[in-house]
Amino acid sequence: MLSREEYLAAWSTWHGGADPAASRLVHGWLSGVYALARRVAGLPPVAVTVAGLLVAAAAVVPAWVGGRWLVLAGVLVGLSAVLDGLDGALAIATGRASRRGFVLDSAVDRLSEGAFAAALWVAGAPGWLAAGFGALCWLPDYLRARAGQAGVAETGQLSVWERPTRVAMTGFTLGGAGVVAGLGWDAAVVTSGTAVGCLLGVVGVAQLGTSLRRALAD
């Protein structure tokens, strides 16, 4: 199994040369899932990927029920993120990474983020705001993919709106709404959290766009 430093270097290679040390949140997240992967190295990465998607989709149900059940929705979002990070860590650190698995993982990430947006919507966020949240989850990775097809080797710096931030915003928004549900503030918390996520998404896309613009100009 690769060492932590070797894993981080391999992760960077699989992600267009992005430097994980550029974001403390991303670096800490990757280090955490690597430590977990060392303990469950025998698990098949694809099975973990599928489990992560199922858990993300399951979060929509308690979000729709609302009330204190929103806490469970937030927990399920967090669990799905752990599984999502674990599958990549298992694949890379144990030498089982493949282009097919990389594409599958990326597709599952987008489907999971669609489930996050749906959970925020059924929990009380306006439809247009939840749709904006989902679109801003999708846009950075779409831009990176298109830049890679255009020949850009390093597909942009890490921004404030990477996968760990999206998950944290969704999980804490839903969970926080569940905590204050007895006070009748749950809808306001969900709407506010979704709006903050959209704001971070706009900032992150702007950061990424600036970086890609330089790379494409060169």
Side-chain angles (χ1 to χ4, degrees):
M1 188 167 186
L2 299 180
S3 68
R4 186 173 70 93
E5 290 70 23
E6 291 171 333
Y7 161 69
L8 292 173
W11 181 91
S12 177
T13 299
W14 277 100
H15 292 80
D19 181 9
S23 168
R24 290 185 179 181
L25 180 59
V26 173
H27 187 273
W29 174 258
L30 292 175
S31 297
V33 293
Y34 168 78
L36 181 58
R38 289 183 63 88
R39 297 178 178 273
V40 293
L43 288 176
V46 173
V48 179
T49 300
V50 174
L53 176 59
L54 294 176
V55 172
V60 178
V61 177
W64 176 72
V65 175
R68 298 294 186 185
W69 286 97
L70 289 168
V71 174
L72 176 58
V75 170
L76 290 175
V77 167
L79 178 58
S80 74
V82 171
L83 292 170
D84 171 63
L86 179 60
D87 65 354
L90 281 170
I92 294 174
T94 61
R96 289 179 282 180
S98 65
R99 290 182 296 177
R100 181 175 60 182
F102 181 75
V103 172
L104 174 63
D105 184 62
S106 298
V108 166
D109 284 351
R110 305 292 77 76
L111 292 173
S112 296
E113 287 164 352
F116 296 166
L120 291 169
W121 173 49
V122 299
W128 63 270
L129 193 61
F133 185 96
L136 287 165
C137 287
W138 163 82
L139 187 54
D141 293 277
Y142 175 78
L143 290 174
R144 285 192 170 106
R146 296 297 291 175
Q149 291 175 345
V152 176
E154 297 185 4
T155 53
Q157 66 178 15
L158 294 178
S159 71
V160 298
W161 190 239
E162 299 301 329
R163 174 85 171 160
T165 309
R166 303 168 206 163
V167 171
M169 284 303 307
T170 307
F172 284 123
T173 294
L174 293 171
V179 170
V180 301
L183 301 174
W185 297 347
D186 45 328
V189 170
V190 170
T191 299
S192 299
T194 306
V196 172
C198 287
L199 178 59
L200 288 174
V202 170
V203 173
V205 169
Q207 288 178 307
L208 178 61
T210 300
S211 176
L212 292 179
R213 182 181 179 185
R214 295 196 202 100
L216 290 167
D218 293 340

